[in-house]
Amino acid sequence: MKVTIAHNNYDKTLQTVAYLKKLLKEKGVIFDAKYPDVVISVGGDGTLINAFHRYENQVDSVRFVGVHTGHLGFYTDWRNYDVDKMVDALLLTDGEVAKYPLLEIKMLTESGETRYHLAVNESAVKRVSHTLEADVYINDELFENFRGDGLCVSTPTGSTAYSKSLGGAVIHPRLKALQMTEIASINNRVFRTLSAPIVIAPDQWITIVPNADHFVMTVDGARIDVRNAKKIEYRISHHSIQFDRFGHHRFWSRVQDAFIGDSKND
């Protein structure tokens, strides 16, 4: 087993990483930051998502383990004081994994270039100082003409992040569905949108055709300035993010812990 550790630079995290490295070396674990079998993320959900993007070209062969040193997250199963138990479980596991859907983003430029991205949570299309105008297609059929601040397309696990703050539904990851939520849409006698989140089946796709030569696209919060894009296509990827199943808590327990509290599973 080859392991690497991704982490933030907070004091509590660095202390946990130092202890974790010592423990893994004592167990004879091989460290390999280039081609790991397991990526241990120490920090929070943001740290783990950053680690995913660092190894997204190896997503089919890499498993992730999350250790959180701050607030409870959806992707971080272990507390910093549970590192000994985590290492024992890691060395005993037979490699069984829990898989979550990923979002595939394909952008076609006016010059005919195609650019691909993967997202764990979501991707949004926005204009900063002007209204975004865009045609929205579902399965290549025109669904609506959108005007507003922007649009957000999320995975089921991403439904608990930015999409939820926009009024989207929380979706269990086994559904493998895409959700699109509007960001401050304009609805009046002239312009009209559905003005509600939509959820589409795993074999369907959403295409956004922006009527602007310059806008901003985000992928898991990372900003990309886009010029002269012809269209952006969103669909569920045939790839998935993989977590070691040991200690991987049930989805609705995570939702309860994060948004309601007083969980009996704490």
Short mmCIF file of all heavy atoms in Angstrom, two decimals, residues 89-125:
data_model
loop_
_atom_site.label_atom_id
_atom_site.label_comp_id
_atom_site.label_asym_id
_atom_site.label_seq_id
_atom_site.Cartn_x
_atom_site.Cartn_y
_atom_site.Cartn_z
N ALA A 89 -7.45 0.57 11.03
CA ALA A 89 -8.49 0.19 10.07
C ALA A 89 -7.94 0.21 8.65
O ALA A 89 -8.26 -0.66 7.83
CB ALA A 89 -9.68 1.14 10.19
N LEU A 90 -7.11 1.20 8.34
CA LEU A 90 -6.52 1.31 7.00
C LEU A 90 -5.69 0.08 6.67
O LEU A 90 -5.76 -0.45 5.55
CB LEU A 90 -5.66 2.57 6.93
CG LEU A 90 -4.91 2.81 5.61
CD1 LEU A 90 -5.91 3.08 4.49
CD2 LEU A 90 -3.95 3.99 5.76
N LEU A 91 -4.93 -0.42 7.62
CA LEU A 91 -4.05 -1.57 7.37
C LEU A 91 -4.80 -2.89 7.35
O LEU A 91 -4.32 -3.87 6.79
CB LEU A 91 -2.95 -1.61 8.43
CG LEU A 91 -2.00 -0.40 8.44
CD1 LEU A 91 -0.98 -0.53 9.56
CD2 LEU A 91 -1.31 -0.25 7.09
N LEU A 92 -5.99 -2.90 7.94
CA LEU A 92 -6.79 -4.13 7.98
C LEU A 92 -7.78 -4.22 6.83
O LEU A 92 -8.29 -5.29 6.54
CB LEU A 92 -7.55 -4.23 9.30
CG LEU A 92 -6.70 -4.51 10.55
CD1 LEU A 92 -7.57 -4.42 11.80
CD2 LEU A 92 -6.03 -5.87 10.46
N THR A 93 -8.07 -3.09 6.20
CA THR A 93 -9.13 -3.07 5.19
C THR A 93 -8.74 -3.89 3.97
O THR A 93 -7.57 -4.01 3.62
CB THR A 93 -9.44 -1.63 4.75
OG1 THR A 93 -10.54 -1.66 3.83
CG2 THR A 93 -8.25 -0.99 4.05
N ASP A 94 -9.74 -4.46 3.29
CA ASP A 94 -9.50 -5.22 2.08
C ASP A 94 -9.71 -4.36 0.83
O ASP A 94 -9.77 -4.87 -0.29
CB ASP A 94 -10.41 -6.46 2.02
CG ASP A 94 -11.89 -6.09 2.08
OD1 ASP A 94 -12.20 -4.88 2.14
OD2 ASP A 94 -12.73 -7.00 2.05
N GLY A 95 -9.83 -3.06 1.03
CA GLY A 95 -9.96 -2.17 -0.11
C GLY A 95 -11.38 -1.90 -0.55
O GLY A 95 -11.59 -1.30 -1.60
N GLU A 96 -12.38 -2.33 0.25
CA GLU A 96 -13.77 -2.04 -0.10
C GLU A 96 -13.98 -0.53 -0.06
O GLU A 96 -13.52 0.15 0.85
CB GLU A 96 -14.71 -2.73 0.89
CG GLU A 96 -16.17 -2.59 0.52
CD GLU A 96 -17.08 -3.29 1.51
OE1 GLU A 96 -16.57 -3.75 2.56
OE2 GLU A 96 -18.29 -3.35 1.25
N VAL A 97 -14.71 -0.01 -1.07
CA VAL A 97 -14.83 1.44 -1.17
C VAL A 97 -16.30 1.87 -1.24
O VAL A 97 -17.17 1.11 -1.63
CB VAL A 97 -14.09 1.98 -2.41
CG1 VAL A 97 -12.60 1.73 -2.30
CG2 VAL A 97 -14.65 1.38 -3.71
N ALA A 98 -16.53 3.12 -0.83
CA ALA A 98 -17.80 3.80 -1.05
C ALA A 98 -17.56 4.79 -2.18
O ALA A 98 -16.60 5.57 -2.14
CB ALA A 98 -18.25 4.52 0.21
N LYS A 99 -18.42 4.77 -3.20
CA LYS A 99 -18.24 5.61 -4.37
C LYS A 99 -19.31 6.70 -4.44
O LYS A 99 -20.49 6.41 -4.22
CB LYS A 99 -18.28 4.77 -5.65
CG LYS A 99 -17.16 3.75 -5.76
CD LYS A 99 -17.24 2.99 -7.09
CE LYS A 99 -16.09 2.00 -7.22
NZ LYS A 99 -16.12 1.29 -8.52
N TYR A 100 -18.88 7.92 -4.76
CA TYR A 100 -19.81 9.04 -4.93
C TYR A 100 -19.69 9.57 -6.35
O TYR A 100 -18.59 9.63 -6.92
CB TYR A 100 -19.49 10.17 -3.94
CG TYR A 100 -19.91 9.90 -2.51
CD1 TYR A 100 -19.49 10.76 -1.50
CD2 TYR A 100 -20.72 8.82 -2.17
CE1 TYR A 100 -19.88 10.55 -0.18
CE2 TYR A 100 -21.09 8.59 -0.86
CZ TYR A 100 -20.67 9.46 0.14
OH TYR A 100 -21.05 9.24 1.44
N PRO A 101 -20.81 9.99 -6.95
CA PRO A 101 -20.77 10.48 -8.34
C PRO A 101 -19.98 11.78 -8.46
O PRO A 101 -19.92 12.59 -7.54
CB PRO A 101 -22.26 10.72 -8.66
CG PRO A 101 -23.03 9.99 -7.62
CD PRO A 101 -22.18 9.96 -6.40
N LEU A 102 -19.40 11.96 -9.65
CA LEU A 102 -18.69 13.19 -9.98
C LEU A 102 -19.40 13.88 -11.14
O LEU A 102 -20.11 13.25 -11.92
CB LEU A 102 -17.24 12.88 -10.39
CG LEU A 102 -16.33 12.34 -9.30
CD1 LEU A 102 -15.00 11.87 -9.90
CD2 LEU A 102 -16.09 13.38 -8.22
N LEU A 103 -19.18 15.17 -11.24
CA LEU A 103 -19.76 15.98 -12.31
C LEU A 103 -18.73 16.15 -13.42
O LEU A 103 -17.61 16.60 -13.17
CB LEU A 103 -20.17 17.35 -11.76
CG LEU A 103 -20.71 18.38 -12.75
CD1 LEU A 103 -22.04 17.89 -13.36
CD2 LEU A 103 -20.91 19.73 -12.06
N GLU A 104 -19.12 15.79 -14.65
CA GLU A 104 -18.26 16.02 -15.80
C GLU A 104 -18.68 17.29 -16.50
O GLU A 104 -19.87 17.51 -16.78
CB GLU A 104 -18.35 14.85 -16.78
CG GLU A 104 -17.51 15.02 -18.04
CD GLU A 104 -17.70 13.89 -19.02
OE1 GLU A 104 -17.30 12.76 -18.69
OE2 GLU A 104 -18.25 14.14 -20.11
N ILE A 105 -17.71 18.16 -16.77
CA ILE A 105 -17.97 19.44 -17.41
C ILE A 105 -17.20 19.47 -18.73
O ILE A 105 -15.99 19.29 -18.74
CB ILE A 105 -17.51 20.61 -16.51
CG1 ILE A 105 -18.17 20.50 -15.13
CG2 ILE A 105 -17.81 21.96 -17.15
CD1 ILE A 105 -17.31 21.01 -14.01
N LYS A 106 -17.92 19.69 -19.82
CA LYS A 106 -17.28 19.80 -21.13
C LYS A 106 -17.62 21.15 -21.73
O LYS A 106 -18.79 21.45 -21.98
CB LYS A 106 -17.74 18.66 -22.06
CG LYS A 106 -17.06 18.69 -23.43
CD LYS A 106 -17.39 17.45 -24.24
CE LYS A 106 -18.80 17.48 -24.78
NZ LYS A 106 -19.05 16.37 -25.73
N MET A 107 -16.61 21.96 -21.95
CA MET A 107 -16.81 23.28 -22.51
C MET A 107 -16.25 23.34 -23.92
O MET A 107 -15.09 22.99 -24.16
CB MET A 107 -16.15 24.36 -21.65
CG MET A 107 -16.37 25.77 -22.18
SD MET A 107 -15.81 27.04 -21.01
CE MET A 107 -14.04 26.71 -21.03
N LEU A 108 -17.08 23.78 -24.86
CA LEU A 108 -16.66 23.94 -26.26
C LEU A 108 -16.49 25.42 -26.55
O LEU A 108 -17.40 26.22 -26.30
CB LEU A 108 -17.71 23.33 -27.19
CG LEU A 108 -17.43 23.43 -28.70
CD1 LEU A 108 -16.20 22.59 -29.06
CD2 LEU A 108 -18.65 22.98 -29.50
N THR A 109 -15.32 25.82 -27.06
CA THR A 109 -15.05 27.22 -27.36
C THR A 109 -15.43 27.53 -28.81
O THR A 109 -15.67 26.63 -29.63
CB THR A 109 -13.57 27.55 -27.15
OG1 THR A 109 -12.78 26.86 -28.15
CG2 THR A 109 -13.11 27.11 -25.76
N GLU A 110 -15.49 28.82 -29.12
CA GLU A 110 -15.83 29.25 -30.48
C GLU A 110 -14.80 28.77 -31.49
O GLU A 110 -15.11 28.57 -32.67
CB GLU A 110 -15.93 30.79 -30.52
CG GLU A 110 -17.12 31.36 -29.75
CD GLU A 110 -18.45 31.10 -30.42
OE1 GLU A 110 -18.46 30.58 -31.55
OE2 GLU A 110 -19.49 31.39 -29.81
N SER A 111 -13.57 28.55 -31.04
CA SER A 111 -12.51 28.10 -31.94
C SER A 111 -12.53 26.59 -32.16
O SER A 111 -11.72 26.05 -32.91
CB SER A 111 -11.14 28.51 -31.39
OG SER A 111 -10.89 27.88 -30.14
N GLY A 112 -13.47 25.88 -31.48
CA GLY A 112 -13.59 24.44 -31.65
C GLY A 112 -12.82 23.63 -30.63
O GLY A 112 -12.83 22.40 -30.67
N GLU A 113 -12.16 24.30 -29.69
CA GLU A 113 -11.41 23.60 -28.64
C GLU A 113 -12.38 23.06 -27.58
O GLU A 113 -13.35 23.71 -27.22
CB GLU A 113 -10.42 24.56 -27.98
CG GLU A 113 -9.58 23.94 -26.87
CD GLU A 113 -8.72 24.95 -26.16
OE1 GLU A 113 -8.78 26.16 -26.50
OE2 GLU A 113 -7.98 24.54 -25.25
N THR A 114 -12.08 21.85 -27.08
CA THR A 114 -12.91 21.25 -26.02
C THR A 114 -12.08 21.14 -24.75
O THR A 114 -10.97 20.62 -24.76
CB THR A 114 -13.40 19.86 -26.43
OG1 THR A 114 -14.15 19.96 -27.65
CG2 THR A 114 -14.30 19.26 -25.35
N ARG A 115 -12.64 21.63 -23.65
CA ARG A 115 -11.96 21.58 -22.36
C ARG A 115 -12.82 20.79 -21.38
O ARG A 115 -14.03 20.99 -21.30
CB ARG A 115 -11.71 22.99 -21.82
CG ARG A 115 -10.89 23.87 -22.75
CD ARG A 115 -10.82 25.29 -22.24
NE ARG A 115 -10.17 26.18 -23.20
CZ ARG A 115 -10.15 27.51 -23.10
NH1 ARG A 115 -10.75 28.10 -22.08
NH2 ARG A 115 -9.55 28.24 -24.02
N TYR A 116 -12.17 19.90 -20.62
CA TYR A 116 -12.87 19.04 -19.67
C TYR A 116 -12.47 19.38 -18.23
O TYR A 116 -11.33 19.73 -17.96
CB TYR A 116 -12.55 17.57 -19.94
CG TYR A 116 -13.12 17.03 -21.22
CD1 TYR A 116 -12.38 17.04 -22.40
CD2 TYR A 116 -14.40 16.49 -21.26
CE1 TYR A 116 -12.89 16.54 -23.59
CE2 TYR A 116 -14.93 15.98 -22.44
CZ TYR A 116 -14.17 16.02 -23.60
OH TYR A 116 -14.70 15.51 -24.76
N HIS A 117 -13.45 19.25 -17.33
CA HIS A 117 -13.20 19.40 -15.90
C HIS A 117 -14.03 18.36 -15.16
O HIS A 117 -15.06 17.90 -15.66
CB HIS A 117 -13.59 20.80 -15.40
CG HIS A 117 -12.90 21.93 -16.10
ND1 HIS A 117 -11.65 22.38 -15.70
CD2 HIS A 117 -13.26 22.69 -17.16
CE1 HIS A 117 -11.29 23.38 -16.49
NE2 HIS A 117 -12.25 23.59 -17.38
N LEU A 118 -13.59 17.99 -13.95
CA LEU A 118 -14.36 17.15 -13.05
C LEU A 118 -14.62 17.94 -11.77
O LEU A 118 -13.75 18.69 -11.31
CB LEU A 118 -13.60 15.86 -12.71
CG LEU A 118 -13.60 14.72 -13.72
CD1 LEU A 118 -12.76 13.56 -13.19
CD2 LEU A 118 -15.02 14.25 -14.02
N ALA A 119 -15.79 17.75 -11.18
CA ALA A 119 -16.13 18.42 -9.93
C ALA A 119 -16.70 17.41 -8.94
O ALA A 119 -17.47 16.52 -9.31
CB ALA A 119 -17.12 19.55 -10.15
N VAL A 120 -16.31 17.56 -7.69
CA VAL A 120 -16.88 16.74 -6.61
C VAL A 120 -18.23 17.31 -6.19
O VAL A 120 -19.20 16.57 -6.02
CB VAL A 120 -15.94 16.71 -5.39
CG1 VAL A 120 -16.56 15.90 -4.25
CG2 VAL A 120 -14.59 16.15 -5.77
N ASN A 121 -18.30 18.64 -6.05
CA ASN A 121 -19.52 19.29 -5.55
C ASN A 121 -20.35 19.92 -6.65
O ASN A 121 -21.49 19.52 -6.88
CB ASN A 121 -19.16 20.36 -4.51
CG ASN A 121 -18.91 19.78 -3.14
OD1 ASN A 121 -19.25 18.63 -2.88
ND2 ASN A 121 -18.32 20.56 -2.27
N GLU A 122 -19.81 20.94 -7.31
CA GLU A 122 -20.63 21.68 -8.26
C GLU A 122 -19.79 22.53 -9.20
O GLU A 122 -18.59 22.74 -8.99
CB GLU A 122 -21.64 22.59 -7.53
CG GLU A 122 -21.07 23.87 -6.96
CD GLU A 122 -20.32 23.72 -5.67
OE1 GLU A 122 -20.86 23.14 -4.72
OE2 GLU A 122 -19.15 24.19 -5.62
N SER A 123 -20.48 23.03 -10.21
CA SER A 123 -19.92 24.04 -11.11
C SER A 123 -20.99 25.10 -11.32
O SER A 123 -22.18 24.77 -11.46
CB SER A 123 -19.52 23.42 -12.45
OG SER A 123 -19.12 24.42 -13.37
N ALA A 124 -20.57 26.36 -11.34
CA ALA A 124 -21.51 27.46 -11.55
C ALA A 124 -21.05 28.32 -12.71
O ALA A 124 -19.85 28.43 -12.99
CB ALA A 124 -21.65 28.31 -10.29
N VAL A 125 -22.00 28.93 -13.40
CA VAL A 125 -21.73 29.89 -14.47
C VAL A 125 -22.33 31.22 -14.03
O VAL A 125 -23.52 31.28 -13.69
CB VAL A 125 -22.36 29.43 -15.80
CG1 VAL A 125 -22.16 30.48 -16.88
CG2 VAL A 125 -21.77 28.10 -16.24
#
